[in-house]
Amino acid sequence: MKTLDQVPQGAEPALVAELDRLASVAAELAQRIARGGIDENLAGAAGTNTDGDAQKALDVIADEAFMAALREGDVRHYASEEQDTVVTMNPKGQFAVAIDPLDGSSNIDTNVSIGTIFGIYPAADTPEASFLRPGRDLLASGYAIFGPQCALIVTLGDGVLKYVLDPQSGTFRLLGQVAEIAPDSNEYAINTSNYRHWSKPIRAYIDDRVAGTEGPSGADSNMRWIASLVAETHRILTRGGIFLYPADGRQGYGRGRLRYVYECAPIAFLIEQAGGRATDGQDPILDAVPDTLHMRTPFVFGSSNKVARVATYHDLPDEETSALFGLRGLFRA
């Protein structure tokens, strides 16, 4: 192995080889990001992607680097946030890689943690069949987070492993298995500037968090919002909590904003493997079947009890999601 210092126990060698290629690029990107604009403007504008989102220079750099590395291996199909369509690499390859090469790129110039999200599926005969499938078909998923430490968090379907990049050797060193996510926590993450656009159940859930000890839950909460999916996930894996990016009433947000194939499904796979839950607000994310490569979905994940509680708000009668704090039926049992 070149970049991972230890092979995940019992893992298929061909799959580990692709993980190592991903890790190698992540290590190179970490070094480039750490130079913080000394050599280049990584936060500079570089056009827009297929969905009209602004691209930064580092978005394009990361995408090209991962493509180049994976072309040398056993990957048949490559689906990226930065590509309009699936790129076919090795026609005989046995894997299909879905990737967000640089998540949270709007935070590059503010020195906030950013990262890479990936999921690896068994390749099918066509690009569509490879990626338009339930997330439960994933063989592996993970993310690299570029922050004070560069970590690689990976699951192959049997728990979650944490590697940390050793900047002296350039290798990712295995620290062990990530502990299960605490089933409960007092932290929640959501962009409250969109409150007026949310559905009544989401508003009611957040109202009850804000009410704290004076509301029906009887407990105070702390709000967190980083605007980097990788950073939000890393915090939840570390100390629990819940992340919500719901659908809302704005144009283009009716199905949420995050992409199923290369953001939500890989993160959901990790979260479930760490003992948490991941839903669209009601139903498990991993059971959904995307209808397009860049399909968006609402996304709620984190501590199992918290995520389950959000689903119960959607089952309340309309008058109860509009009612005063003390009248929610789910708290009267």
Side-chain angles (χ1 to χ4, degrees):
M1 303 305 298
K2 295 180 180 179
T3 310
L4 299 177
D5 76 327
Q6 293 186 51
V7 176
Q9 199 168 31
E12 180 186 352
L15 183 58
V16 173
E18 300 312 319
L19 289 174
D20 197 72
R21 288 186 176 88
L22 291 165
S24 177
V25 175
E28 293 170 5
L29 289 175
Q31 184 178 30
R32 200 162 180 172
I33 292 166
R35 291 186 62 81
I38 295 171
D39 306 306
E40 56 196 334
N41 180 13
L42 297 176
T48 57
N49 63 21
T50 184
D51 275 353
D53 294 334
Q55 288 177 310
K56 304 294 186 180
L58 189 55
D59 285 309
V60 178
I61 290 168
D63 188 44
E64 291 176 349
F66 283 113
M67 285 182 64
L70 294 173
R71 281 187 188 280
E72 300 175 0
D74 206 10
V75 174
R76 187 182 309 184
H77 300 302
Y78 176 88
S80 166
E81 180 177 5
E82 308 307 329
Q83 300 291 328
D84 293 349
T85 58
V86 175
V87 176
T88 298
M89 295 182 168
N90 178 356
K92 297 183 179 179
Q94 60 178 311
F95 302 115
V97 174
I99 193 167
D100 182 352
L102 205 288
D103 170 72
S105 56
S106 63
N107 288 318
I108 294 170
D109 55 359
T110 62
N111 204 24
V112 171
S113 294
I114 53 181
T116 297
I117 303 170
F118 62 87
I120 304 177
Y121 291 91
D125 291 337
T126 66
E128 293 77 13
S130 293
F131 297 109
L132 303 187
R133 63 203 300 180
R136 295 206 186 279
D137 289 351
L138 281 162
L139 298 173
S141 76
Y143 63 82
I145 182 168
F146 309 113
Q149 64 174 211
C150 178
L152 181 68
I153 310 299
V154 179
T155 182
L156 284 79
D158 184 20
V160 178
L161 300 176
K162 179 179 181 179
Y163 291 84
V164 170
L165 181 65
D166 180 345
Q168 294 183 330
S169 67
T171 60
F172 278 99
R173 298 189 178 277
L174 181 63
L175 297 191
Q177 189 150 317
V178 173
E180 286 202 348
I181 298 171
D184 213 345
S185 169
N186 67 348
E187 292 186 341
Y188 68 96
I190 193 168
N191 185 351
T192 56
S193 67
N194 298 319
Y195 178 90
R196 67 191 186 278
H197 301 294
W198 297 336
S199 66
K200 287 183 178 180
I202 296 297
R203 285 191 196 182
Y205 178 79
I206 298 303
D207 285 343
D208 291 345
R209 306 286 77 71
V210 173
T213 55
E214 298 175 9
S217 66
D220 288 329
S221 297
N222 293 323
M223 196 194 85
R224 301 285 183 262
W225 182 252
I226 307 175
S228 167
L229 181 57
V230 161
E232 304 280 9
T233 304
H234 202 68
R235 186 190 64 252
I236 286 171
L237 283 174
T238 302
R239 63 191 194 204
I242 185 170
F243 170 93
L244 304 96
Y245 204 136
D248 65 45
R250 291 173 294 166
Q251 184 175 359
Y253 286 74
R255 293 182 69 175
R257 195 64 181 170
L258 299 175
R259 283 75 164 191
Y260 182 91
V261 173
Y262 40 80
E263 291 178 318
C264 300
I267 293 298
F269 190 43
L270 272 176
I271 292 296
E272 285 202 3
Q273 285 297 314
R277 291 192 188 187
T279 73
D280 61 6
Q282 296 175 271
D283 301 315
I285 280 288
L286 293 179
D287 291 339
V289 180
D291 52 18
T292 64
L293 180 63
H294 300 288
M295 186 190 90
R296 300 179 190 270
T297 180
F299 198 26
V300 177
F301 70 86
S303 297
S304 56
N305 292 347
K306 295 293 187 183
V307 177
R309 178 58 61 125
V310 172
T312 65
Y313 277 75
H314 289 82
D315 295 331
L316 287 174
D318 183 69
E319 63 270 17
E320 292 206 14
T321 56
S322 302
L324 296 176
F325 294 130
L327 301 179
R328 309 240 195 264
L330 60 89
F331 289 102
R332 293 201 296 266

